[in-house]
Amino acid sequence: MFLVKWAGLGYEHCTWETQEDINDDAIISEFRRLEGVTPEEPELIEEDVSKVIDSAITVTSENAEGNPDMALLRSQLYAQTRSFQFTKFGADIPSRLNAECGPECHGLTSPLHVESVNACLLDMVNRVSRNQRELGSSQHAASLPPLLCDEYDVILPVTSGGLLLNVGEKQGGVQFLGYRQLPNNGKGPSELANLVHNVGDQIIAVNGKSAVGKTFIEVIGMLKECVTFAYIRFLSCRNKHSELSSCGSLGKLQDYS
């Protein structure tokens, strides 16, 4: 509907008219151009709209280029970008699109899941930065013997505040004592992802080099050499009586109690 001011008549005689009654597409188009308004109805017919939608390229994990990890990452980021267009207008995300956003997609719609979103983004950034699919294919793993019982490898990101780990020398080795917080008192990426399993786990290798038998100062020096990521092998504190690790002899029987 358009409010029409008739030539030669006062504003009190303005009337509401339909587009069909005005019957002048040129003057209506000029009005819309001057006022910066959009048409009340799409100018494309339904058949043309369908053709545009069908020809649109949608990135999915099946057609995204790159290795499997990168393809999945690209498809999830594309789906999350599309989903944001719904959430910013308060609309529900279509179920099929929601499923393509990845396991942490619930964080898109609620401030209660900020940590989940952070963890998801950190994981994706770490995977892209490492440019590898598995930790087992890293130079760190290739330089060390296979893992033994109760051992595990992790990749810890180096933040502006360092690794954000508290470590100390106990029972002849350097152990993980807990996480440090970011300057804003928030949790660091390693803590959010719970990368180190237990307080008391012992560092037995850093970046493919054994830390067994080294002093606390020497191990700290090895950790400080890490620029972007630290590849660390831990021996779980559950292994209390092991004399041997994949990275060398631990000496006397260990007791972490």
Side-chain angles (χ1 to χ4, degrees):
M1 297 289 288
F2 297 90
L3 184 60
V4 177
K5 165 67 171 65
W6 299 100
L9 297 178
Y11 282 97
E12 67 273 15
H13 299 292
C14 291
T15 59
W16 288 98
E17 306 293 338
T18 66
Q19 183 171 345
E20 291 76 14
D21 290 335
I22 295 174
N23 195 27
D24 189 334
D25 292 340
I27 195 171
I28 290 177
S29 297
E30 179 65 10
F31 164 77
R32 287 171 173 163
R33 185 187 68 81
L34 293 174
E35 296 296 323
V37 298
T38 57
E40 295 179 357
E41 298 179 354
E43 295 182 354
L44 291 173
I45 62 175
E46 185 175 350
E47 181 180 355
D48 292 336
V49 173
S50 298
K51 289 181 179 179
V52 172
I53 294 176
D54 292 339
S55 64
I57 299 176
T58 301
V59 179
T60 66
S61 56
E62 287 75 23
N63 62 20
E65 298 178 353
N67 64 50
D69 283 338
M70 286 300 298
L72 179 61
L73 172 61
R74 291 185 63 194
S75 64
Q76 289 183 354
L77 287 176
Y78 180 77
Q80 290 167 14
T81 301
R82 293 170 59 200
S83 298
F84 178 72
Q85 304 305 315
F86 289 89
T87 59
K88 73 177 183 179
F89 292 111
D92 294 332
I93 301 174
S95 57
R96 289 183 59 185
L97 179 60
N98 192 48
E100 295 175 7
C101 291
E104 304 292 350
C105 60
H106 59 272
L108 290 169
T109 57
S110 173
L112 299 177
H113 299 290
V114 173
E115 289 190 356
S116 296
V117 175
N118 287 341
C120 182
L121 291 175
L122 287 168
D123 177 65
M124 290 189 290
V125 170
N126 290 347
R127 292 168 71 180
V128 172
S129 300
R130 296 198 302 269
N131 192 27
Q132 60 189 41
R133 293 185 60 191
E134 297 179 353
L135 180 56
S137 63
S138 68
Q139 183 63 35
H140 166 80
S143 303
L144 297 173
L147 293 165
L148 296 183
C149 180
D150 289 324
E151 295 179 357
Y152 61 96
D153 287 325
V154 295
I155 303 175
L156 304 181
V158 179
T159 71
S160 58
L163 289 170
L164 300 179
L165 300 181
N166 286 322
V167 297
E169 189 171 12
K170 297 184 67 176
Q171 285 83 37
V174 177
Q175 297 181 14
F176 169 67
L177 303 180
Y179 292 103
R180 290 188 289 109
Q181 293 187 321
L182 292 166
N184 62 0
N185 294 323
K187 295 181 179 179
S190 297
E191 184 176 6
L192 287 172
N194 194 29
L195 296 180
V196 185
H197 297 178
N198 306 290
V199 171
D201 288 357
Q202 180 178 343
I203 297 174
I204 59 175
V206 178
N207 288 348
K209 298 179 181 179
S210 173
V212 174
K214 296 188 180 297
T215 66
F216 175 76
I217 299 299
E218 290 174 326
V219 175
I220 292 297
M222 296 170 69
L223 294 174
K224 286 184 176 180
E225 291 177 357
C226 304
V227 179
T228 54
F229 295 94
Y231 293 72
I232 303 178
R233 178 166 294 185
F234 283 94
L235 172 66
S236 173
C237 61
R238 296 179 301 178
N239 192 329
K240 297 182 179 181
H241 304 293
S242 175
E243 293 182 331
L244 184 67
S245 74
S246 61
C247 301
S249 174
L250 297 173
K252 63 181 181 179
L253 294 178
Q254 302 298 296
D255 184 8
Y256 293 89
S257 59

